[in-house]
Amino acid sequence: MPLLNVDFHDPDRNEHPLDVVERLASLRDWIFDRAETDEMSVTSPGRWTDYNVAFTWIEDVEALHVACAFDLKVPERQRTEVMRLVALINEQLWVGHFDLWSSDSVVMFRHALLLTGGAVPTHPQCATMMKTAVDACERYFQAFQFVLWAGKSAREALDAVLFETEGEA
């Protein structure tokens, strides 16, 4: 079966996709920095830590990529257990995934929005990308802490953060 020959470059794009993200960040009073044309960073305060959210335009495939990282370095001796935790968490996710970024030894959540053919992202799409990334990090941050700081196994850490109480005492 032959591969499809798709031309991803669309010279008719009227607006850079990160311009939409930048306008949204301004409207929402997000702290952001856009030092590069194709890269923008946003800081989002969370319950457990501050999250560094990077939006990147990847022109080759016309995708708006979001990566959300938190300040939690993974020592070499704990990489295997953190990778087990990443795999277990990724089984729970419908959108996006976690990675252990090997060059910096940090955990991050990643997702992309394909905008093939000159499509421009909307404010709701960009806000949802941001919310999805931060919500995933908020939900699982403590599991990474349990592995790294409390010496828990990946399964114990995940079970602890997924445990939900019902009712009132």
Side-chain angles (χ1 to χ4, degrees):
M1 175 184 263
L3 294 176
L4 292 176
N5 192 6
V6 179
D7 179 13
F8 289 106
H9 184 67
D10 183 22
D12 295 332
R13 187 177 299 280
N14 293 330
E15 180 176 37
H16 195 290
L18 284 182
D19 292 344
V20 176
V21 179
E22 188 172 341
R23 272 198 314 279
L24 177 65
S26 293
L27 289 169
R28 299 273 175 102
D29 292 325
W30 293 343
I31 298 168
F32 71 93
D33 179 38
R34 187 171 175 191
E36 304 278 333
T37 302
D38 292 338
E39 295 180 18
M40 179 177 162
S41 62
V42 179
T43 301
S44 177
R47 194 165 67 175
W48 313 112
T49 189
D50 288 342
Y51 299 103
N52 303 309
V53 184
F55 285 90
T56 307
W57 173 243
I58 305 170
E59 189 167 348
D60 294 351
V61 292
E62 294 184 276
L64 182 60
H65 178 262
V66 65
C68 185
F70 38 84
D71 189 20
L72 203 62
K73 296 279 185 184
V74 178
E76 186 63 38
R77 70 184 186 285
Q78 292 175 301
R79 288 179 68 83
T80 301
E81 200 60 32
V82 168
M83 289 302 296
R84 283 189 189 108
L85 179 59
V86 165
L88 289 171
I89 290 171
N90 285 342
E91 291 175 359
Q92 306 293 314
L93 299 176
W94 286 83
V95 175
H97 66 279
F98 279 94
D99 278 328
L100 175 58
W101 207 251
S102 59
S103 62
D104 297 327
S105 295
V106 295
V107 174
M108 68 174 60
F109 175 87
R110 299 175 52 199
H111 178 53
L113 175 64
L114 296 175
L115 298 166
T116 308
V120 177
T122 65
H123 281 197
Q125 287 173 317
C126 295
T128 299
M129 288 181 77
M130 176 85 168
K131 182 177 179 352
T132 300
V134 172
D135 285 355
C137 289
E138 279 283 281
R139 178 154 179 96
Y140 297 107
F141 178 78
Q142 284 189 308
F144 290 105
Q145 283 187 316
F146 290 158
V147 169
L148 295 174
W149 295 348
K152 299 290 184 189
S153 72
R155 173 51 59 196
E156 290 173 312
L158 184 60
D159 288 346
V161 299
L162 294 181
F163 181 78
E164 294 186 27
T165 58
E166 293 185 24
E168 294 180 29

